[in-house]
Amino acid sequence: MRLPLLRVCSRSRATFTAAPLKLKRLSDNANACHFTHSAGLRAQTCKALVYSKHGDPAQVVQLEDVDLPPIGAQDVLVKMLAAPINPSDINMIQGTYAILPDLPAVGGNEGVAEVIEVGSQVNSLKTGDWVIPKDAGLGTWRTEAVLSEDDVISLPNNIPLLSAATLGVNPCTAFRMLSDFEDLKPGDTVIQNAANSGVGQAVIQIAAARGVNTINVIRDRPEFTHLSDRLKAIGATHVIKEEALRRPEIKELFKTCPKPKLALNGVGGKSATELLRHLQIGGSMVTYGGMAKQPVTVPVSALIFKDVKVRGFWVTQWKRDHTSDEGAFKAMLDELCSLIKQGKLSAPICTKVSLQDYSKALEAATMPFTSAKQVLIM
Ligand SMILES: NC(=O)c1ccc[n+]([C@@H]2O[C@H](COP(=O)([O-])OP(=O)(O)OC[C@H]3O[C@@H](n4cnc5c(N)ncnc54)[C@H](OP(=O)(O)O)[C@@H]3O)[C@@H](O)[C@H]2O)c1
């Protein structure tokens, strides 16, 4: 994966030739080029949120002028429309994520863009199409980009902008976790923590569309009732506080729905252990996030007497494993877009922030208890 091949920063006017995104802990085929550069037709510049060293995003990210390479025969010029700030984007900038680009790099892994020009040999895309990245590492916090047509996948351009901008990571993660680990039937139950997160809200809605109950665990807060009502309005069966998981009254809840076959853990630490305690015999817990930055402890009894399966999931790996089977990704996006059009899947609550106000957005994205996704509007 590669950042723009030729980038000129307005402040220093230094010229960089970006190297392929380096994988620090993974060695696979992830060095595929995202930005192609063919012999020059014309140069353009765009604005981009660039970081040249790892650290606190509010300190190291800056808005800069960046040169765009000419549009090659198999490239498209896109105008970014909207791009969220996800925890993984923050972790990449901090230098703590599993994949890290060579620096300097443009931030952002997700977002929706409109095709505004196509190269002479582009077959799959046309002007006006909406596209999202196929893989992580594209650097979406920018106003325009020249991309290979193979690096993006199209979406219908008649779905809400915020749904499109936030579709490629969290709803796909929710969709896969609800599909690939347990054979969930209508009436079954899933339990999850961080239920108000982007992933959590997608889990609630996709599960509800399939007739699957959800027990949604969130941290206590002054506006718990308001948040609980909001999650119930999008299809949550039950919403409970972390503490309630440890109380005997939880047994009452299991009179209204079966014990969960599947637990989804985006937090880690004690919260994950509590999810495990309520799983059905033979059920699975899938860890996809570690917001509490604490390891997952599995009680010996859960393994011996309940034979629980403890698994992990990373949507980036799923996408890379399916690069030669684009149909699988397309089929998932089609199903998700169909849910969006039926009103069964909405974007998480978002705060729209203009690209110029990125400092505010980056700061807000690292704040706890906000229950809102920061989305940069270009
Ligand atoms: N493995 C994958 O493929 C994959 C894909 C997508 C996302 N993820 C991961 O999933 C997690 C959620 O991502 P997102 O975009 O859905 O997040 P998000 O919308 O930004 O929401 C963050 C969530 O984390 C909770 N949280 C923050 N700090 C916490 C703490 N110390 N203890 C417990 N909960 C805490 C927040 O709850 P409060 O409201 O209580 O603060 C909120 O529910 C992240 O770790 C992300 O990297 C993984």
Side-chain angles (χ1 to χ4, degrees):
M1 178 176 329
R2 194 171 284 185
L3 287 162
L5 286 184
L6 207 62
R7 183 161 65 196
V8 181
C9 301
S10 60
R11 209 171 303 111
S12 63
R13 305 306 297 169
T15 303
F16 311 104
T17 302
L21 198 81
K22 258 201 193 133
L23 295 183
K24 289 245 158 121
R25 281 156 234 160
L26 300 173
S27 64
D28 57 17
N29 61 354
N31 284 347
C33 180
H34 270 305
F35 288 80
T36 55
H37 182 38
S38 41
L41 298 170
R42 67 191 169 94
Q44 292 190 350
T45 59
C46 72
K47 297 271 182 206
L49 293 180
V50 177
Y51 57 106
S52 302
K53 60 178 181 182
H54 293 299
D56 174 1
Q59 303 293 324
V60 299
V61 173
Q62 285 172 332
L63 188 62
E64 299 191 354
D65 287 317
V66 160
D67 270 1
L68 289 169
I71 305 165
Q74 283 156 357
D75 293 341
V76 291
L77 173 65
V78 301
K79 176 185 174 344
M80 288 303 306
L81 302 175
I85 302 178
N86 287 321
S88 54
D89 303 326
I90 298 291
N91 296 152
M92 256 190 191
I93 296 166
Q94 291 167 331
T96 58
Y97 199 60
I99 47 172
L100 299 171
D102 274 0
L103 302 182
V106 178
N109 292 289
E110 193 185 17
V112 62
E114 180 180 343
V115 176
I116 50 178
E117 206 174 321
V118 297
S120 58
Q121 289 171 25
V122 169
N123 298 316
S124 62
L125 297 170
K126 59 182 188 317
T127 307
D129 283 351
W130 277 13
V131 293
I132 61 171
K134 276 188 192 163
D135 196 1
L138 208 59
T140 52
W141 298 345
R142 50 192 301 154
T143 52
E144 281 100 27
V146 174
L147 308 171
S148 162
E149 73 170 319
D150 290 338
D151 291 332
V152 291
I153 189 159
S154 65
L155 286 186
N157 57 9
N158 58 356
I159 60 172
L161 180 72
L162 293 176
S163 294
T166 57
L167 189 66
V169 176
N170 290 341
C172 291
T173 301
F175 183 101
R176 294 268 52 106
M177 294 194 300
L178 290 170
S179 309
D180 297 347
F181 293 89
E182 288 289 341
D183 180 21
L184 295 172
K185 304 237 164 26
D188 284 340
T189 306
V190 173
I191 190 167
Q192 63 164 343
N193 54 22
N196 60 325
S197 66
V199 175
Q201 292 180 57
V203 164
I204 290 170
Q205 296 177 85
I206 298 167
R210 296 178 182 183
V212 171
N213 298 302
T214 52
I215 300 173
N216 299 282
V217 183
I218 55 176
R219 296 196 288 180
D220 197 8
R221 66 199 69 219
E223 70 285 8
F224 173 84
T225 308
H226 175 70
L227 178 55
S228 166
D229 289 347
R230 221 174 75 190
L231 297 180
K232 284 182 182 161
I234 60 168
T237 318
H238 297 286
V239 180
I240 58 174
K241 299 173 189 173
E242 289 269 353
E243 296 74 24
L245 275 179
R246 290 185 274 276
R247 299 222 179 95
E249 301 89 84
I250 189 86
K251 290 198 182 108
E252 293 302 310
L253 190 147
F254 292 119
K255 290 181 182 159
T256 67
C257 61
K259 285 216 154 204
K261 264 188 184 170
L262 180 67
L264 302 177
N265 169 37
V267 175
K270 280 184 190 156
S271 176
T273 310
E274 291 300 329
L275 294 187
L276 268 174
R277 289 196 327 118
H278 298 293
L279 266 185
Q280 270 184 24
I281 290 175
S284 299
M285 182 171 81
V286 181
T287 291
Y288 66 92
M291 294 303 295
K293 298 187 166 54
Q294 298 289 326
V296 172
T297 304
V298 183
V300 167
S301 59
L303 292 171
I304 299 176
F305 303 119
K306 287 172 76 178
D307 192 19
V308 296
K309 300 184 277 289
V310 179
R311 307 283 306 274
F313 179 75
W314 188 30
V315 75
T316 299
Q317 194 59 50
W318 186 91
K319 289 174 182 170
R320 290 174 181 179
D321 289 345
H322 291 79
T323 41
S324 57
D325 172 23
E326 193 168 293
F329 192 15
K330 191 91 190 93
M332 171 166 61
L333 291 177
D334 286 350
E335 210 171 317
L336 291 169
C337 289
S338 163
L339 290 178
I340 291 169
K341 287 178 181 169
Q342 294 169 57
K344 292 179 177 171
L345 177 62
S346 53
I349 302 292
C350 294
T351 304
K352 293 197 249 177
V353 186
S354 75
L355 188 69
Q356 287 72 18
D357 286 334
Y358 68 94
S359 297
K360 215 164 63 182
L362 285 170
E363 204 177 316
T366 53
M367 290 294 166
F369 303 111
T370 55
S371 301
K373 178 82 53 200
Q374 301 294 310
V375 179
L376 298 165
I377 304 292
M378 282 65 177

